[in-house]
């Protein structure tokens, strides 16, 4: 018999969640296999941890019980279970929730290929962002290095927007480096605007930034265009001081998302300070996440 509450197919939802959990190997998400693992994929509590849910709540979902999961919970489960776009949409349909638009804003579904690579980067700071520099997901070392992103929606979710409108966003970099980052951000946004064409999201952002920042307007009118693929950064960490790093980018096929990772040559001061990040953790972190 079909177990439903309203239009939610709880039995089908439970079966789908279990089938997706069973196919993921612990190593796929950066977890140890362990000698006593008796399940083909992840354990329930591991999925709950990856999704930021309680183990009891997730267990109830797999048992076909409990309240209808919210869109936020479904999005978190889609990320934890590495669902592709069709699978994510199916999950939302089973829970009788509207399928959110793809690849827009900080709540966008992270592309599985980038998320899988992020899982493998456990020893270097890394995060996935949108082409408008909205942070989607980051590993613990990235949070320790640059801080967690503020819980924002709309234009202010973009680090580029905050860079030109909120002075505190610039404390992440030394003041003498600010002109360089401003030029890079604007040239990158020019390239994104050209690729997106007549996209209202970009047009509105450009209009707002031109109105609020003379610096942005001046740089925009130079028409310099360059996607940011690599960059050398000096990041101001509240506990470790200035850390010199290389920032590299890997773009999704449609260009809407990017995997960023930070590294330093072995034997350098930057490499030494990176090694301290796992010890320092996220304590006393006050900087906003760059994107």
């Amino acid at each position: 018999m079909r177990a439903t509450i309203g239009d939610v197919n709880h039995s089908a939802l439970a079966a789908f969640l279990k089938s997706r959990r069973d196919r993921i190997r612990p190593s796929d998400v950066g977890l140890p296999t362990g000698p006593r693992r008796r399940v083909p994929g992840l354990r329930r509590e591991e999925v709950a941890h990856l999704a930021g849910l309680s183990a009891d709540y997730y267990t109830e979902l797999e048992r076909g019980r409990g309240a209808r999961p919210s869109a936020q919970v479904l999005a978190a489960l889609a990320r934890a279970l590495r669902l592709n776009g069709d699978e994510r949409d199916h999950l939302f349909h089973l829970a009788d929730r509207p399928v959110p638009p793809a690849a827009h804003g900080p709540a966008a579904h992270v592309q599985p290929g980038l998320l899988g690579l992020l899982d493998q980067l456990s020893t270097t700071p890394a995060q996935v962002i949108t082409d408008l520099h909205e942070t989607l997901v980051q590993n613990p070392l990235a949070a320790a290095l640059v801080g967690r992103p503020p819980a924002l929606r709309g234009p202010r979710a973009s680090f580029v927007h905050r860079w030109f409108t909120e002075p505190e966003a610039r404390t992440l970099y030394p003041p003498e480096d600010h002109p360089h980052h401003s030029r890079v951000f604007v040239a990158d946004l020019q390239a994104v605007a050209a690729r997106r064409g007549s996209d209202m999201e970009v047009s509105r952002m450009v209009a707002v930034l031109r109105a609020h920042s003379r610096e942005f307007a001046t740089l925009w009118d130079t028409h310099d265009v360059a996607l940011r693929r690599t960059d050398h950064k000096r990041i101001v960490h509240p506990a470790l001081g200035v850390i010199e790093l290389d920032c590299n980018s890997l773009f999704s096929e449609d260009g809407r998302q990017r995997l960023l990772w930070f590294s330093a040559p072995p034997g350098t001061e930057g490499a030494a300070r990176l090694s301290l990040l796992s010890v320092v953790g996220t304590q006393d972190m006050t900087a906003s996440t760059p994107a």
Side-chain angles (χ1 to χ4, degrees):
M1 179 181 294
R2 172 176 169 169
T4 63
I5 297 178
D7 292 325
V8 182
N9 190 336
H10 281 267
S11 59
L13 177 62
F16 183 65
L17 289 173
K18 184 178 185 305
S19 70
R20 301 305 88 182
R21 173 170 64 86
D22 287 346
R23 71 176 182 173
I24 301 176
R25 297 172 298 179
S27 58
D28 293 338
V29 294
L31 295 174
T33 301
R36 298 183 179 179
R37 184 171 293 272
R38 293 179 292 180
V39 294
L42 297 180
R43 301 185 179 100
R44 287 173 175 170
E45 58 269 23
E46 290 171 336
V47 174
H49 173 74
L50 291 170
L53 307 174
S54 73
D56 289 341
Y57 177 78
Y58 180 76
T59 297
E60 288 296 291
L61 287 179
E62 273 208 16
R63 289 176 176 171
R65 300 198 292 263
R68 179 174 62 154
S70 68
Q72 291 78 11
V73 167
L74 294 172
L77 286 171
R79 291 183 182 181
L81 294 169
R82 306 309 189 249
L83 303 187
N84 62 33
D86 292 334
E87 291 170 331
R88 181 205 60 159
D89 293 352
H90 183 63
L91 179 67
F92 273 77
H93 287 310
L94 289 176
D96 193 35
R97 295 286 185 187
V99 177
H104 290 285
H109 181 60
V110 182
Q111 298 199 14
L114 296 184
L115 195 56
L117 287 174
L118 178 66
D119 290 332
Q120 304 306 312
L121 297 174
S122 59
T123 61
T124 190
Q127 56 192 19
V128 178
I129 68 170
T130 71
D131 57 353
L132 294 183
H133 298 259
E134 302 151 319
T135 300
L136 299 178
V137 63
Q138 58 184 181
N139 67 14
L141 281 177
L145 177 65
V146 298
R148 300 190 184 281
L152 297 172
R153 293 293 182 267
R156 290 186 61 232
S158 165
F159 186 74
V160 173
H161 185 280
R162 298 197 304 276
W163 178 263
F164 289 103
T165 60
E166 302 176 17
E168 59 271 19
R170 300 196 174 201
T171 59
L172 189 65
Y173 303 119
E176 58 270 27
D177 295 351
H178 291 178
H180 164 76
H181 291 296
S182 293
R183 290 192 300 272
V184 169
F185 281 139
V186 174
D188 185 87
L189 187 58
Q190 283 273 17
V192 171
R195 193 196 70 247
R196 285 204 187 188
S198 56
D199 184 283
M200 290 304 298
E201 185 180 19
V202 178
S203 298
R204 284 193 295 267
M205 176 178 289
V206 171
V208 168
L209 293 181
R210 286 184 66 93
H212 285 79
S213 171
R214 181 178 299 177
E215 179 191 25
F216 177 88
T218 299
L219 290 171
W220 188 260
D221 288 340
T222 66
H223 301 285
D224 289 340
V225 181
L227 284 173
R228 187 182 70 176
R229 294 180 173 86
T230 62
D231 199 4
H232 187 75
K233 293 177 177 289
R234 298 195 303 158
I235 294 174
V236 179
H237 188 278
L240 301 177
V242 177
I243 308 177
E244 292 199 33
L245 300 169
D246 295 316
C247 179
N248 300 284
S249 302
L250 177 66
F251 292 73
S252 63
E253 185 175 356
D254 63 4
R256 291 283 188 132
Q257 296 181 11
R258 309 171 185 183
L259 172 65
L260 306 182
W261 71 96
F262 301 86
S263 62
T268 63
E269 182 65 24
R273 297 195 179 192
L274 272 184
S275 69
L276 295 176
L277 275 177
S278 59
V279 178
V280 174
T282 56
Q283 61 186 358
D284 298 325
M285 292 299 298
T286 58
S288 297
T289 300

